[in-house]
Amino acid sequence: MITLGIETSCDETAIGVLDDDTVLANVVSSQVAHSKYGGVVPELAARNHIKVIVPLTKIALEIAHLDAKDVDLIAATYGPGLVGALLVGLSFAKSLSISLCKPYIGVNHLEGHVYALHEVRKDMPYPMLVLIVSGGHTEIIRINNEFEYETLGRTLDDACGEAFDKVAKIMGLPYPGGPYIEKHAVQGSQSTVSLPVPRPKPFHFSYAGLKTAVLYYTRENPEYSREDVAAAFQEAALDHLVEVVEYAVVHTRIKNLGIVGGVSANARLREKFSELARRTAITLYIPEILHCTDNGVMIALAGAARFVRFGRSPLCLDAVARESLDTISSVKRRA
Ligand code: KG4
Ligand code: ZN
């Protein structure tokens, strides 16, 4: 089965092509226009998706040595994300579906991130804990079986990637700031600047306090070193992730941990979680860097799996700004 995966939930236009689970193409066009605003401008994102989605799909099909009529299934993200941006990919996918007479399936973006793990290991070992850590989300979920999701906790305020981006902005670094913070942190000292590691309720995350601590520090110390602030911030932000996840590992006694989403591209994060895995004797799964940040392959993987189990989506499926994985779980828990 040839699946075309289309992702437009934020500022990346991304197309993936799969032949069953073999990746034939993975192309991503990142929008640089937002950099000067220090964050994503929703209308600009939608307009940029419109500009590139058709040529990018053509490029992906060319790389895959396929023609549009070879596609068997069209998968596109319908949410959560920026509604205007989502509508571009979703409407394009529906139009393709009608013109090619091929089925279309809508994919939840978070389920897409989770399916990036299937590139690491095809038969995921359930039950699993999965940490989704991106620019829009920071949550820990329990997956009891394929499509059976239970959110254990999430951020009470900013997402982890959002905090990386905001701290980068405070220090005048470009957007998205995560990779720049990582680069500066490598050259800095973690202990020169003292920042508080957040300590919220079990299973929940919080980044607003840490971000504000950086803001105050930089205001009070105008001669600060970007490298040292980046190192101290990154260490505190990642220690917080490890602490909450360790609590979840101990309390659920689940021995398999997946980490997905843009922040999981961070090398220090990978180091810290490898150390946690050794300490707690769990198995760790993190996708290769290419599949951590938003991409079309993860949408194609999730779409194909859902299509095989549940069939196609109705063409009236709407774009949604928010949707937790619990909503689409095949087993619903009583409140
Ligand atoms: O998953 P993603 O591409 O989009 C969302 O679904 O949000 O994640 C993007 C986020 C941004 O906040 C970006 O700064 C962060 O992931 N990010 C990183 C790194 N690479 C991307 N954060 C820290 N270190 C990195 N190397
Ligand atoms: Zn994402």
Side-chain angles (χ1 to χ4, degrees):
M1 182 168 77
I2 303 287
T3 308
L4 184 73
I6 301 169
E7 158 59 35
T8 63
S9 67
C10 193
D11 58 341
E12 328 269 7
T13 319
I15 309 286
V17 184
L18 287 184
D19 181 356
D20 289 334
D21 40 26
T22 305
V23 179
L24 299 183
N26 181 21
V27 289
V28 180
S29 165
S30 300
Q31 303 177 0
V32 286
H34 305 283
S35 193
K36 63 172 179 260
Y37 302 103
V40 177
V41 182
E43 185 180 333
L44 212 55
R47 289 180 186 277
N48 277 305
H49 288 310
I50 288 173
K51 271 189 205 150
V52 303
I53 197 155
V54 173
L56 202 69
T57 305
K58 284 186 177 157
I59 292 170
L61 288 170
E62 254 172 56
I63 293 171
H65 299 293
L66 294 173
D67 196 78
K69 64 178 181 329
D70 300 322
V71 172
D72 299 307
L73 173 68
I74 299 138
T77 311
Y78 67 89
L82 302 172
V83 170
L86 288 162
L87 283 171
V88 178
L90 196 60
S91 305
F92 176 61
K94 290 177 182 179
S95 320
L96 268 184
S97 163
I98 294 167
S99 60
L100 298 171
C101 296
K102 296 291 167 65
Y104 142 82
I105 186 147
V107 175
N108 174 296
H109 182 75
L110 301 178
E111 188 169 61
H113 274 301
V114 168
Y115 268 80
L117 290 169
H118 289 243
E119 269 303 293
V120 186
R121 181 173 160 172
K122 301 222 180 302
D123 55 327
M124 292 315 296
Y126 301 112
M128 280 196 85
L129 286 174
V130 176
L131 170 68
I132 304 175
V133 63
S134 70
H137 299 270
T138 299
E139 48 193 73
I140 177 107
I141 56 167
R142 177 187 174 125
I143 310 181
N144 292 320
N145 230 313
E146 197 170 18
F147 309 116
E148 286 181 27
Y149 304 111
E150 186 187 328
T151 305
L152 299 178
R154 53 170 62 98
T155 182
L156 301 172
D157 39 62
D158 292 349
C160 182
E162 186 183 357
F164 270 82
D165 296 339
K166 287 180 175 167
V167 164
K169 188 177 177 185
I170 291 169
M171 298 201 290
L173 296 172
Y175 176 87
Y180 293 95
I181 294 281
E182 178 172 13
K183 267 189 210 127
H184 281 72
V186 171
Q187 290 146 26
S189 144
Q190 294 159 16
S191 49
T192 311
V193 179
S194 166
L195 293 173
V197 175
R199 299 207 181 279
K201 294 183 214 143
F203 293 127
H204 292 289
F205 306 86
S206 169
Y207 280 101
L210 177 59
K211 172 196 69 189
T212 308
V214 172
L215 181 67
Y216 288 158
Y217 180 86
T218 53
R219 276 190 189 157
E220 285 157 17
N221 303 276
E223 303 295 308
Y224 70 89
S225 142
R226 275 176 173 177
E227 288 74 15
D228 290 347
V229 173
F233 163 76
Q234 177 175 273
E235 209 58 17
L238 299 180
D239 281 345
H240 178 47
L241 285 181
V242 173
E243 200 176 324
V244 176
V245 172
E246 182 163 3
Y247 183 87
V249 166
V250 170
H251 280 77
T252 61
R253 299 206 189 102
I254 292 176
K255 291 285 174 197
N256 298 295
L257 171 68
I259 308 183
V260 298
V263 184
S264 62
N266 184 287
R268 185 77 180 128
L269 176 145
R270 288 166 180 252
E271 234 172 71
K272 281 184 174 286
F273 276 98
S274 300
E275 204 273 312
L276 172 74
R278 269 195 302 276
R279 192 152 38 84
T280 53
I282 58 168
T283 311
L284 179 65
Y285 301 91
I286 308 184
E288 61 171 302
I289 289 176
L290 209 64
H291 296 142
C292 289
T293 44
D294 289 351
N295 64 86
V297 167
M298 69 186 200
I299 301 304
L301 282 164
R306 223 164 230 281
F307 177 73
V308 168
R309 176 80 77 91
F310 303 106
R312 64 167 74 190
S313 296
L315 281 173
C316 60
L317 181 70
D318 205 358
V320 293
R322 290 169 193 278
E323 185 182 70
S324 108
L325 281 174
D326 300 26
T327 317
I328 60 161
S329 176
S330 59
V331 173
K332 301 266 190 276
R333 293 169 69 239
R334 271 179 290 159

